[in-house]
Amino acid sequence: MRALPLISVYMPTYNRAEMACRAIDSVLAQDYPNFELIVVDDASKDQTYEQLSSRYANEPRVRILRQEKGQGACAARNRAINEARGDFVTGLDDDDEFLPQRLSSLYAAYDDQFSMVCSAYIWDYGTFSKTLFADEATVSLSELLDLHTLSNQALVRRERMLALGGFDTGLAAFQDYDMWVRVVAAYGPAKRIANASYKVNVGHELGRITDSPKRLDAHQQFVAKHRPLMSERNLQNQMFYRLTMQKKPLTLTEFFRQCRYGLLNLKWRYFLKHKLSWFSALRLRLMNKGIRGLLKK
């Protein structure tokens, strides 16, 4: 254990004790031996803080902190990073899970020539799941500004996060994307490994902690903040991403124009999705509810 650096895992939570326990237990099941978990309750209005404090009172690797006033997930993450004792930090949302090899696989892949390391991840709809970005890659700043291909969590040296001021609490969404853009801009390309060790649970009905009704406004903020770093290609691909958030179809002319800026597979799938919208809706319902749910009225 002494040969392995301490990794600090930060996790914000709010009004979700049951899910938070599942997330915490997934960290405690890690095969990497030297870690700590810092959970910051963002002024829950229920008994989340009390339940977690009681359940993990005798677990020295877990620290449960509480914000007296709700400040949002980013402020909670920043507090945890400031309180952390590890050389490295990585995050977990309270409705997600680590697979047992999460920390060990990220640390094994870490190299200081990269600004950070992340992995492929599993998108779990409840009945079906899929793995995203399941290939190893070195991601440059230009590629990252085209599309967020790093995942929402990564292993980073704590000192780098502190030097950059942590997560931007002024953004209503895209906080992780913004953070990784700043990390890559400051410290060089990121590494993504193909080993999927993080599960994003999207099948529940409680809403994700990163969801925001002001998502379009936040995207406009994000683009304005990083516009000096963006090429014309980056800007056009961000505009395409905005169009997908608005769920607007691409005309054939616009599709061919967008193809000049890369991301061809993504744009082709999006174009077909709107041409076959009934099939896309059926597929999504099947992934969320399964065949039985599909047959229910």
Side-chain angles (χ1 to χ4, degrees):
M1 185 183 295
R2 292 178 183 173
L4 294 172
L6 179 67
I7 297 177
S8 299
V9 181
Y10 54 84
M11 190 185 95
T13 191
Y14 178 75
N15 283 359
R16 290 202 288 217
E18 185 175 348
M19 285 189 174
C21 287
R22 180 183 64 185
I24 292 169
D25 290 344
S26 78
V27 178
L28 294 176
Q30 291 299 292
D31 61 12
Y32 186 92
N34 197 16
F35 68 85
E36 64 172 356
L37 170 62
I38 305 167
V39 180
V40 179
D41 177 77
D42 191 40
S44 289
K45 296 179 180 179
D46 62 7
Q47 297 299 305
T48 293
Y49 175 72
E50 290 76 11
Q51 290 179 39
L52 297 183
S53 296
S54 174
R55 176 164 174 164
Y56 299 102
N58 297 318
E59 176 48 75
R61 296 172 295 178
V62 179
R63 282 189 278 160
I64 312 293
L65 309 178
R66 176 175 169 81
Q67 305 275 65
E68 292 305 318
K69 180 180 179 182
Q71 300 174 54
C74 279
R77 293 184 184 105
N78 289 342
R79 181 181 175 188
I81 293 168
N82 279 311
E83 298 265 0
R85 301 166 183 150
D87 298 317
F88 294 90
V89 293
T90 191
L92 173 63
D93 286 342
D94 66 351
D95 47 355
D96 295 338
E97 298 170 70
F98 281 178
L99 273 61
Q101 78 280 14
R102 173 69 177 171
L103 297 181
S104 59
S105 62
L106 289 179
Y107 179 67
Y110 186 83
D111 188 312
D112 264 334
Q113 69 174 302
F114 301 108
S115 58
M116 51 183 270
V117 61
C118 68
S119 76
Y121 54 97
I122 300 165
W123 203 258
D124 193 322
Y125 290 89
T127 303
F128 293 89
S129 63
K130 63 181 179 180
T131 300
L132 301 179
F133 301 113
D135 60 321
E136 186 166 322
T138 297
V139 180
S140 68
L141 179 61
S142 178
E143 291 168 319
L144 184 56
L145 288 170
D146 271 346
L147 182 69
H148 186 5
T149 60
L150 292 180
S151 83
N152 62 334
Q153 310 291 357
L155 184 73
V156 191
R157 285 199 177 274
R158 176 175 173 266
E159 62 188 23
R160 293 179 175 180
M161 297 286 279
L162 292 175
L164 293 170
F167 291 92
D168 186 344
T169 58
L171 288 173
F174 303 99
Q175 302 100 330
D176 58 300
Y177 192 8
D178 165 74
M179 185 75 252
W180 308 147
V181 165
R182 288 187 285 127
V183 169
V184 170
Y187 298 104
K191 183 176 183 179
R192 187 182 71 229
I193 61 175
N195 182 355
S197 56
Y198 188 101
K199 184 163 73 167
V200 179
N201 293 306
V202 292
H204 64 81
E205 298 177 353
L206 296 182
R208 291 191 56 79
I209 202 166
T210 51
D211 285 347
S212 170
K214 299 179 180 179
R215 196 165 179 80
L216 284 171
D217 289 342
H219 182 255
Q220 186 174 7
Q221 263 186 288
F222 170 85
V223 172
K225 181 176 181 178
H226 297 294
R227 181 65 183 90
L229 299 175
M230 291 184 181
S231 65
E232 180 63 18
R233 170 189 167 115
N234 297 149
L235 188 61
Q236 289 296 329
N237 283 326
Q238 289 297 328
M239 293 306 99
F240 167 74
Y241 182 64
R242 186 176 184 85
L243 182 145
T244 68
M245 286 192 290
Q246 296 170 306
K247 299 180 180 179
K248 292 182 178 180
L250 275 175
T251 66
L252 186 60
T253 301
E254 180 62 15
F255 168 71
F256 282 119
R257 191 188 75 82
Q258 278 289 338
C259 284
R260 294 166 51 195
Y261 303 105
L263 306 180
L264 299 184
N265 288 338
L266 182 65
K267 291 169 182 176
W268 176 244
R269 288 199 304 270
Y270 185 78
F271 178 74
L272 287 182
K273 174 182 175 180
H274 281 273
K275 293 299 181 184
L276 301 170
S277 57
W278 63 270
F279 179 75
S280 296
L282 183 69
R283 177 176 174 270
L284 183 59
R285 187 174 174 186
L286 178 65
M287 294 181 77
N288 275 305
K289 303 296 182 181
I291 294 175
R292 289 185 180 180
L294 193 65
L295 297 176
K296 288 181 180 179
K297 293 183 179 180

